[in-house]
Amino acid sequence: MGVLSPERRRAEPPPPAPPQYEPPRPRREVPWGLITLGILVIAIFGSVNWVKDLIPDVHNPFRAQTVDRSGPAVLKSIQDLHSYHAATGNFQQIVDMQKDTPLPDQVLGSRTLFIAYGTVDATVDFSSIGSGAVQVSDDRRNATITLPQPQVSDARIDPTRSYVYDRNEGVFNKIGDIFSSNDNNQQELYVVAEQRITAAAEQGSGLVARARENTRAMLQSMLRALGFTTVAVNFEPQA
């Protein structure tokens, strides 16, 4: 075994220091769930917007498409008319229908504003004229005609112009609308509008008076063209 001299001992480098121990860093997991959810949301919204550009009504995928499969109309009968349509009135009716319940309106109840447009005819029935209703002088110059009073027809609501202006419903009503149709409610609105317009035509609208004037003018013009110089058109007293 050799002996190291002091000079040799100084020339040799010191042994390297042992490596320091570093604790392993915790592994950070990638949030694949959030990334997948984000991709799905972006894909859904992106596809919806893209499809909306192609199909404007895609926002309601459960919308029913109306297909008219009706056949041609069938003629059942023909009826001769013996009435003179002397005047027609055009009416607008605002129907404000509210259905109250013991519960608050926000929970159960509804209020609907319906704008209805309808027409009413005033007619004179010539078929009921008796033999003594027309009196003619011996020289066939004077004529007197007595007619029944004009009658007001039921109102006819125009569905192409009538519409629901506003409708407020409770929570339960909105839920019920999902499982039922509003056809019954629409029919009720039409019935009320028809009744009110008919009543307005009969009371104070001037439609019956205009019908009397038009009927009188029509008969006077026709009989004067036949050579009569004096034509009196009267109407029976109102019942």
Side-chain angles (χ1 to χ4, degrees):
M1 178 176 181
V3 179
L4 296 176
S5 62
E7 292 81 3
R8 187 177 178 183
R9 191 175 297 162
R10 293 192 205 98
E12 290 182 357
Q20 297 181 356
Y21 174 76
E22 295 182 0
R25 296 181 180 179
R27 185 178 179 182
R28 184 174 299 175
E29 296 182 356
V30 179
W32 293 108
L34 294 178
I35 294 176
T36 304
L37 179 60
I39 294 175
L40 289 176
V41 171
I42 295 173
I44 291 173
F45 280 95
S47 61
V48 169
N49 293 330
W50 177 73
V51 176
K52 276 186 178 180
D53 296 336
L54 300 178
I55 307 175
D57 296 333
V58 74
H59 60 276
N60 187 2
F62 301 102
R63 180 182 179 184
Q65 182 180 2
T66 302
V67 179
D68 187 3
R69 304 185 185 277
S70 305
V74 178
L75 177 62
K76 291 295 186 180
S77 63
I78 297 177
Q79 182 178 358
D80 295 333
L81 298 179
H82 301 283
S83 299
Y84 173 63
H85 288 249
T88 299
N90 300 309
F91 295 85
Q92 180 194 63
Q93 176 67 45
I94 300 178
V95 178
D96 186 356
M97 181 178 295
Q98 182 172 356
K99 295 185 178 181
D100 294 328
T101 64
L103 298 177
D105 294 339
Q106 294 80 3
V107 178
L108 184 63
S110 64
R111 183 177 181 181
T112 305
L113 292 178
F114 179 65
I115 311 298
Y117 290 89
T119 58
V120 177
D121 293 334
T123 61
V124 178
D125 187 8
F126 289 162
S127 63
S128 60
I129 298 177
S131 58
V134 180
Q135 298 178 1
V136 180
S137 62
D138 295 336
D139 58 359
R140 300 185 63 83
R141 292 295 181 181
N142 303 323
T144 301
I145 303 175
T146 303
L147 300 175
Q149 287 288 337
Q151 299 297 318
V152 174
S153 67
D154 293 334
R156 299 185 302 274
I157 306 300
D158 187 356
T160 62
R161 301 177 60 195
S162 306
Y163 61 95
V164 175
Y165 177 77
D166 188 22
R167 181 175 176 84
N168 295 321
E169 294 182 313
V171 176
F172 290 159
N173 298 89
K174 294 179 180 179
I175 296 175
D177 291 342
I178 300 176
F179 304 97
S180 62
S181 174
N182 291 328
D183 293 341
N184 293 333
N185 185 48
Q186 291 282 350
Q187 183 178 5
E188 187 177 4
L189 294 172
Y190 273 79
V191 170
V192 172
E194 179 182 337
Q195 294 173 349
R196 290 189 173 276
I197 290 179
T198 301
E202 294 174 346
Q203 303 172 1
S205 66
L207 184 62
V208 174
R210 176 65 66 86
R212 286 195 292 262
E213 295 175 4
N214 293 343
T215 304
R216 183 177 290 111
M218 183 271 296
L219 291 176
Q220 289 176 347
S221 176
M222 182 178 64
L223 293 180
R224 284 170 182 170
L226 296 177
F228 289 90
T229 57
T230 303
V231 178
V233 178
N234 303 319
F235 290 90
E236 298 175 353
Q238 294 182 355

